[in-house]
Amino acid sequence: MITDQVARTEDRPIDQEADLFKIKAIDHIEFWVGNARQAVYYWKYWGFKPIAYSGLETGNRQYASYVIEQGKIRFVLSTPYGPHSEMAAHHLLHGDGVKVIAMEVEDVESAYRETTARGAKGVQPPGDLQDAGGAVRMAAIQGYGQTVFRFVQRTGYSGAFLPTYRALPEDTTVKPVGLAAVDHIVGNVELGKMDHWVNWFHKAMGFRQIVHYDDKVIHTEYSALMSKVMGNGNGRIKFPINEPAEGRKRSQIEEFLDYYVGPGVQHVALITGDIIKTVGELKERGLPFLRVPQAYYESLPARIGTIRERYDDIARLGILADRDDEGYLLQIFSRPIQDRPTMFLEVIQRRGAQGFGVGNFKALFESIEIEQGKRGNL
Ligand code: FE2
């Protein structure tokens, strides 16, 4: 619920966090999709191994759900069995996309209490799910659009994932590609709603604003956007938020909002320790990535300076590079991973730099606009 209470800025400066409750890590990200069984095969190309399942055979009569894993990344793919459920309605409206961002916390009660006391809307009060593996305590609050933030406390739980899920036999056909952890999760919100969500993260979640880019920085000839990055104290959880800005044509953020029918997760960035190897393998498997014009690579060495990777490899694979005070980063973006031009993935390697590749935004967005043009959406 958007209340005045949340919209008002907290007394604490925007760049300071409050230690409201302890977040350990991203526990999982749940996608609601049209056909989870088939989606599992898509994600195998990305190197994700199916590890757990919930569905009719495990006593779950509402939906089928598969847990897939690579490194510390855990995704859940869920599909409703029938038309009469929140999950079915959600899929009809939004198509495939991220429904739940789950954070492992030390204490679900305090996470729920602190956030809802500060204006977050509760959607699931704290409660235990139990099976032979023990108990997992969970609660959830409403995030942007219909996206939900879930708190998970799995002290001592020994089951495959969560109660109702059972372990799947080892899938030896999957070859991991070195994706290790979630780096950041980006949300697109409507025009004029940026500050509401920045304040929501600041006040209700106790996060701080790490950095912000305005539309003077992020623009092309046709479109512009604003971006602010919110994060928790230890910097492990980073949530950039994008809002469209006035431009001559329809921005990629507006295209997302039109096709997702509202705000939601635009991209999830996954960390690798060796982007040349990871992207080389993914390209070999035929996964499509955005490509910037070749001219980008002519000026790259002068802009970035000495790096440990070979510029030849970077250009060959279409990887982007950016440098800041602390070091450099390498990144690449996939095309949308479902038919609607909505969510995509980023693969990122950090060599010191803690930014998000602002030096690449212009070249990248021009590439996105070429694709938008092909879709008739520019
Ligand atoms: Fe990103």
Side-chain angles (χ1 to χ4, degrees), residues 183-186 240 266-269 331 333 344 346 348 350 356-357 361:
D183 185 84
H184 57 275
I185 302 168
V186 183
Q266 177 212 37
H267 75 268
V268 176
Q331 61 186 170
F333 298 86
F344 55 89
E346 172 181 351
I348 182 167
R350 296 186 180 279
F356 298 87
F361 286 179

Side-chain angles (χ1 to χ4, degrees), residues 272-343:
T272 170
D274 186 348
I275 199 168
I276 303 290
K277 214 171 144 202
T278 298
V279 174
E281 184 59 47
L282 292 171
K283 289 209 151 182
E284 196 112 304
R285 298 179 188 187
L287 288 162
F289 291 92
L290 281 177
R291 181 132 207 149
V292 297
Q294 204 53 32
Y296 173 90
Y297 294 99
E298 285 158 25
S299 56
L300 195 63
R303 185 159 72 80
I304 307 298
T306 308
I307 56 174
R308 284 160 67 178
E309 297 74 17
R310 295 177 47 220
Y311 277 108
D312 280 0
D313 288 333
I314 287 180
R316 175 175 56 84
L317 294 168
I319 291 166
L320 309 174
D322 197 26
R323 185 177 275 286
D324 65 22
D325 301 344
E326 297 167 279
Y328 66 95
L329 63 83
L330 302 166
Q331 61 186 170
I332 193 166
F333 298 86
S334 78
R335 293 216 166 84
I337 63 166
Q338 58 290 304
D339 287 302
R340 293 198 201 189
T342 51
M343 208 201 94

Side-chain angles (χ1 to χ4, degrees), residues 129-203:
L129 274 179
Q130 253 166 333
D131 68 6
V136 178
R137 184 159 296 178
M138 293 198 288
I141 57 172
Q142 191 68 50
Y144 35 66
Q146 290 195 298
T147 314
V148 160
F149 287 83
R150 181 184 283 162
F151 303 122
V152 183
Q153 182 184 339
R154 39 175 79 255
T155 331
Y157 182 70
S158 65
F161 171 58
L162 291 176
T164 87
Y165 287 80
R166 74 173 180 216
L168 289 170
E170 162 103 31
D171 186 334
T172 53
T173 67
V174 179
K175 303 280 176 277
V177 294
L179 296 171
V182 173
D183 185 84
H184 57 275
I185 302 168
V186 183
N188 282 344
V189 302
E190 311 98 309
L191 183 64
K193 287 287 158 52
M194 163 78 85
D195 285 335
H196 168 80
W197 287 106
V198 164
N199 289 330
W200 184 88
F201 274 107
H202 187 239
K203 185 171 183 178

